[in-house]
């Protein structure tokens, strides 16, 4: 049996620019990781700007083309929760995407980046009055209402400012997405949206329509989960939401112009993952919407989607330095090499949160040593502090080596913490061989500045 190549960079897992230099170092965006580490230290989040822009443009073009084919248009909102900074907000808007936010903090970042209000959508299951007021004040293009209380709060904020605020109603479409339970968001027993069962959605429609001076109902919104590799769940959700539109037309005599199918499109974290390309995804969703509208006899609405991970995730690479290497007799016939790095669950919580898989390589060199079963772990006081659970690394991996973990652009810096009072790493954008810090590294002084007397 041939041993796996522990030096390989699988193209669909790594950023498009990732390669090995002639002497074996990983290169991202035309820059050698050894040089980047010398300048910015470790751990460090690297973000390939060209890769992020290319993926944003691919979603823009794919959805525009696919939905033009069926006689409508589609807007692509970048889901800022995946990772949002002023730089990234500018990149995606320059590539023709809109921006989806779900807190006042994310809204503030989008505002600082200069994203126009009409190009922003606002989510959240428990928006504060202050957040709602800030969104209305900025003129966001839509607020996705998630409860009856929010309907009243948004109406009050809009009325106080003399505007009519466009809103969408978030619906639990009852879809069991094939993903981890913590990131499946359309089944009944969870916090998001109005339930289809028991007439909640119909009541929400009536509640919104009772405020014609303050609210304008655009349509329904659904998000079935995250890290999804197939379109079957979207077929069920779209069919149910379009049936709801028909009910509204019959009950209230109005045609809702929009439909949002959410995001959650998966990416490759390991070599076996096979996500849908934007063209395939857009084509399949367009066919689904067209078929459902024909079946229900309703006009094809203006559609929107919300990719986040699939735009920014593949362009990210986290680089660590190895501190210790410890062979462990895991079972009678398995010795596993534990490779401890200078970060961990504080900069990537996903493996601890929902057993997310990653891969990695030794990034500062190649090695001819026979690969060994390894586990890359962090420096935190938790046995669950695992960065990469199962990977083949060169048998000569040693302290001082650089370890690069791909596909970390989404939900790593966003979920990062200061656990054990470890400052969060910087985000460094790389393009054409040059780098710049877009989110600086936290320092011990930053930690101490939060302390009272």
């Amino acid at each position: 049996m041939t041993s796996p190549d522990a030096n390989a960079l699988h193209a669909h897992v790594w950023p498009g620019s990732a390669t090995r230099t002639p002497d074996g170092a990983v290169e991202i965006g035309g820059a050698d990781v050894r040089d980047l580490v010398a300048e910015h230290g470790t751990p460090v989040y690297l973000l390939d700007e060209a890769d992020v822009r290319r993926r944003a443009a691919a979603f823009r073009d794919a959805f525009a083309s696919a939905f033009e084919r069926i006689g409508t248009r589609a807007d692509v909102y970048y889901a800022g929760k995946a990772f949002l900074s002023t730089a990234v907000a500018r990149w995606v808007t320059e590539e023709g995407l809109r921006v989806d936010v779900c807190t006042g903090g994310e809204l503030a970042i989008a505002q600082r980046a200069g994203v126009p209000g009409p190009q922003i959508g606002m989510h959240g299951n428990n928006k504060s009055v202050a957040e709602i007021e800030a969104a209305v004040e900025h003129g966001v293009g839509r607020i996705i209402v998630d409860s009856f209380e929010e309907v009243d709060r948004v109406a009050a904020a809009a009325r106080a400012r003399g505007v009519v605020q466009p809103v969408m109603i978030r619906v639990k479409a009852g879809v069991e997405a094939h993903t981890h339970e913590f990131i499946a968001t359309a089944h009944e027993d969870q916090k998001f949206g109005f339930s289809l069962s028991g007439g909640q959605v119909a009541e929400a429609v009536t509640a919104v329509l009772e405020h014609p001076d303050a609210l304008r109902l655009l349509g329904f919104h659904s998000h079935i989960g995250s890290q999804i590799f197939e379109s079957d769940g979207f077929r069920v959700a779209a069919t149910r939401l379009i049936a709801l539109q028909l009910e509204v037309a019959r009950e209230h005599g109005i045609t809702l112009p929009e439909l949002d199918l959410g995001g959650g499109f998966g990416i490759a974290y390991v070599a076996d993952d096979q996500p849908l390309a934007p063209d395939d995804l857009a084509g399949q969703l367009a066919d689904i919407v067209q078929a459902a509208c024909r079946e229900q006899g309703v006009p094809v609405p203006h559609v929107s989607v919300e990719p986040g991970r699939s735009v920014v995730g593949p362009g990210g690479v986290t680089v660590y330095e190895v501190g210790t290497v410890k062979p462990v007799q895991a079972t009678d016939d398995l010795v596993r090499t534990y490779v401890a790095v200078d970060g961990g669950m504080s900069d990537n919580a996903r493996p601890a949160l929902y057993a997310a898989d990653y891969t990695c390589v030794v990034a500062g060199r190649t090695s001819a040593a026979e690969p060994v079963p390894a586990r890359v772990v962090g420096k935190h006081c938790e046995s669950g502090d695992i960065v990469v659970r199962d990977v083949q690394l060169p048998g000569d991996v040693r302290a001082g080596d650089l370890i690069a973990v791909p596909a970390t652009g989404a939900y790593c810096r966003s979920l990062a913490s200061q656990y054990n009072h470890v400052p969060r790493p910087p985000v460094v954008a790389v393009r054409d061989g040059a780098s710049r810090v877009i989110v600086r590294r936290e320092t011990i002084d930053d930690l101490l500045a939060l302390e009272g007397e």
Side-chain angles (χ1 to χ4, degrees):
M1 183 176 179
T2 304
S3 296
D5 183 358
N7 301 303
L9 306 178
H10 295 283
H12 67 299
V13 178
W14 290 79
S17 66
T19 187
R20 291 272 189 184
T21 64
D23 62 347
V26 172
E27 187 177 88
I28 304 293
D32 188 317
V33 295
R34 295 170 299 189
D35 296 333
L36 294 170
V37 165
E39 181 176 359
H40 301 289
T42 59
V44 59
Y45 299 113
L46 303 178
L47 196 56
D48 183 335
E49 178 181 347
D51 189 273
V52 174
R53 286 181 176 272
R54 176 177 62 82
R55 292 177 192 276
F59 271 96
R60 176 200 67 208
D61 293 345
F63 276 85
S65 176
F67 282 85
E68 182 180 6
R69 170 174 58 81
I70 66 168
T72 189
R73 77 180 198 273
D75 287 327
V76 179
Y77 284 77
Y78 171 68
K81 64 180 181 176
F83 171 65
L84 195 64
S85 70
T86 54
V88 168
R90 291 186 186 113
W91 298 350
V92 297
T93 53
E94 288 169 1
E95 299 302 330
L97 271 54
R98 299 175 179 229
V99 177
D100 170 65
V101 302
C102 58
T103 66
E106 289 182 355
L107 176 62
I109 294 292
Q111 288 178 283
R112 173 170 284 192
V115 182
Q119 295 181 25
I120 297 174
M122 188 168 202
H123 271 287
N125 71 298
N126 187 28
K127 308 172 194 72
S128 69
V129 171
E131 288 173 326
I132 291 169
E133 290 175 345
V136 174
E137 189 75 33
H138 190 56
V140 301
R142 61 187 195 178
I143 295 176
I144 292 82
V145 293
D146 204 274
S147 66
F148 292 108
E149 290 92 343
E150 272 194 4
V151 172
D152 293 336
R153 290 169 186 163
V154 175
R159 191 172 291 116
R161 287 157 181 78
V163 300
V164 177
Q165 174 63 50
V167 298
M168 300 189 83
I169 292 172
R170 180 154 178 173
V171 177
K172 299 180 195 180
V175 179
E176 293 290 343
H178 299 296
T179 187
H180 192 281
E181 65 173 313
F182 289 177
I183 50 176
T185 55
H187 56 284
E188 290 292 342
D189 192 10
Q190 49 84 33
K191 70 179 184 177
F192 293 106
F194 293 91
S195 175
L196 274 173
S197 62
Q200 267 198 352
V201 174
E203 291 178 31
V205 170
T206 299
V208 171
L209 296 179
E210 286 176 348
H211 300 282
D213 62 322
L215 302 179
R216 178 164 66 94
L217 181 57
L218 298 177
F220 296 114
H221 178 284
S222 171
H223 181 71
I224 64 174
S226 297
Q227 191 58 1
I228 297 168
F229 287 174
E230 56 190 33
S231 62
D232 290 351
F234 294 103
R235 184 182 308 278
V236 176
T239 300
R240 290 177 179 172
L241 266 60
I242 289 168
L244 283 174
Q245 289 186 317
L246 180 59
E247 289 180 19
V248 171
R250 288 172 174 169
E251 179 72 20
H252 299 282
I254 59 174
T255 299
L256 299 180
E258 297 193 26
L259 172 70
D260 192 305
L261 295 176
F265 316 129
I267 67 170
Y269 284 101
V270 295
D272 290 341
D273 289 339
Q274 298 294 331
L276 290 169
D279 283 338
D280 295 331
L281 178 63
Q284 291 180 27
L285 292 188
D287 290 343
I288 286 168
V289 170
Q290 184 179 47
C293 289
R294 283 176 177 169
E295 181 181 337
Q296 299 290 337
V298 299
V300 178
H302 168 200
V303 172
S304 50
V305 293
E306 299 166 358
R309 179 198 319 264
S310 47
V311 172
V312 76
V317 175
T318 306
V319 182
Y320 304 93
E321 182 177 333
V322 175
T324 62
V325 177
K326 184 186 299 183
V328 173
Q329 192 75 44
T331 66
D332 289 343
D333 56 357
L334 172 64
V335 174
R336 191 192 311 278
T337 300
Y338 275 70
V339 179
V341 296
D342 54 352
M345 64 191 298
S346 60
D347 57 73
N348 188 353
R350 295 184 69 252
L353 274 179
Y354 32 78
D357 288 329
Y358 286 88
T359 189
C360 66
V361 297
V362 173
R365 62 185 176 93
T366 53
S367 172
E370 188 71 14
V372 296
R375 179 165 293 168
V376 179
V377 296
K379 63 181 292 177
H380 297 286
C381 295
E382 302 280 346
S383 59
D385 178 25
I386 295 169
V387 178
V388 182
R389 183 171 298 276
D390 291 300
V391 67
Q392 297 284 321
L393 289 178
D396 63 351
V397 61
R398 55 186 180 262
D401 271 337
L402 300 179
I403 296 289
V405 181
T408 58
Y411 299 107
C412 288
R413 181 57 174 82
S414 293
L415 288 170
S417 72
Q418 297 170 341
Y419 182 46
N420 290 151
H421 281 70
V422 173
R424 286 173 287 195
V427 183
V428 175
V430 187
R431 185 174 185 179
D432 298 330
S435 68
R436 63 188 179 96
V437 175
I438 60 174
V439 179
R440 73 165 175 82
R441 183 185 298 280
E442 288 181 337
T443 66
I444 295 297
D445 286 342
D446 291 324
L447 299 182
L448 295 177
L450 300 174
E451 295 292 321
E453 293 298 326

